[in-house]
């Protein structure tokens, strides 16, 4: 089992209907191929957590990267995991408005590290790791409560 977290920038003309299309497709496909996760969309930025078998996830991420609806995909964290964080979610969705203040702050911290890091150095960045884990855990805890 593998987990991947990446961010990307939405195309400037992305409409709410595009997000609905993405989610509709993602949920149907992910159910079939055993992928679970979380998609966050805030101020033109996507952050997605994908969990599943390594080869399935690699193929899916390659497809996602080519999607015209976003650009500049950056993998922030890729790691083998013993268990899923989102076992019940084929693709949970959190728009920026649904985030708590602390989560929005963490997302800002994540994006400012990403902005200041050279591509390829994300996985070694100690604070990025902390922010990502805090953010993802807090979204998960909130929904479990
Ligand atoms: C931000 C973002 C997240 C996406 N997440 C998923 C996903 O979790 N699962 C999925 O199957 N497709 C996802 N997609 C859609 C894929 O990029 C792609 O459009 C879809 O898999 C269809 O691919 P195909 O046209 O090659 O069949 C996502 C697209 C974007 C822009």
């Amino acid at each position: 089992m593998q987990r991947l977290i990446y961010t990307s920038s939405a195309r400037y003309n992305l409409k709410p209907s595009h997000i609905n299309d993405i989610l509709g497709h993602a949920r149907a496909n992910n159910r079939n191929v055993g992928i679970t996760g979380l998609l966050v969309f805030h101020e033109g930025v996507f952050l997605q957590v994908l969990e599943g078998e390594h080869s399935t996830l690699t193929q899916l991420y390659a497809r996602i990267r080519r999607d015209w609806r976003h650009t500049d995909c950056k993998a922030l964290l890729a790691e083998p995991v013993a268990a899923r964080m989102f076992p019940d979610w084929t693709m949970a969705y959190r728009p920026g408005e649904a985030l708590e203040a602390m989560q929005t702050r963490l997302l800002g911290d994540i994006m400012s590290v990403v902005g200041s890091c050279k591509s390829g150095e994300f996985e070694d960045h100690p604070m990025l790791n902390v922010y990502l884990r805090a953010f993802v855990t807090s979204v998960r805890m909130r929904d479990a409560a």
Side-chain angles (χ1 to χ4, degrees):
M1 183 77 52
Q2 188 86 6
R3 179 176 306 129
L4 171 73
I5 305 180
Y6 75 87
T7 60
S8 64
S9 305
R11 288 283 176 196
Y12 72 96
N13 55 350
L14 207 70
K15 300 188 179 80
S17 66
H18 289 127
I19 309 260
N20 286 339
D21 293 345
I22 291 169
L23 287 172
H25 180 93
R27 286 172 177 156
N29 181 56
N30 293 356
R31 187 183 309 278
N32 286 336
V33 297
I35 295 279
T36 51
L38 165 71
L39 180 67
V40 175
F41 181 55
H42 180 57
E43 293 179 349
V45 170
F46 287 111
L47 183 143
Q48 190 170 29
V49 181
L50 294 163
E51 308 175 317
E53 287 309 323
H54 188 275
S55 62
T56 314
L57 212 152
T58 305
Q59 284 170 31
L60 174 60
Y61 185 53
R63 239 179 33 233
I64 290 176
R65 291 185 68 139
R66 291 196 298 267
D67 198 306
W68 68 271
R69 291 168 288 197
H70 64 174
T71 177
D72 209 17
C73 286
K74 291 174 178 156
L76 307 184
L77 183 73
E79 59 181 359
V81 289
R84 295 172 192 265
M85 280 187 91
F86 304 105
D88 303 325
W89 294 349
T90 52
M91 191 47 61
Y93 177 58
R94 294 293 169 274
E97 312 87 78
L99 298 176
E100 292 175 351
M102 186 263 284
Q103 294 170 337
T104 309
R105 242 185 351 261
L106 280 168
L107 201 53
D109 289 337
I110 291 166
M111 295 320 295
S112 82
V113 172
V114 170
S116 68
C117 247
K118 281 201 209 106
S119 191
E121 286 179 3
F122 306 124
E123 291 187 33
D124 300 327
H125 197 289
M127 284 320 286
L128 181 58
N129 221 292
V130 171
Y131 296 148
L132 280 172
R133 285 178 204 287
F135 178 75
V136 174
T137 308
S138 116
V139 174
R140 181 180 183 269
M141 299 291 282
R142 168 94 201 280
D143 282 82

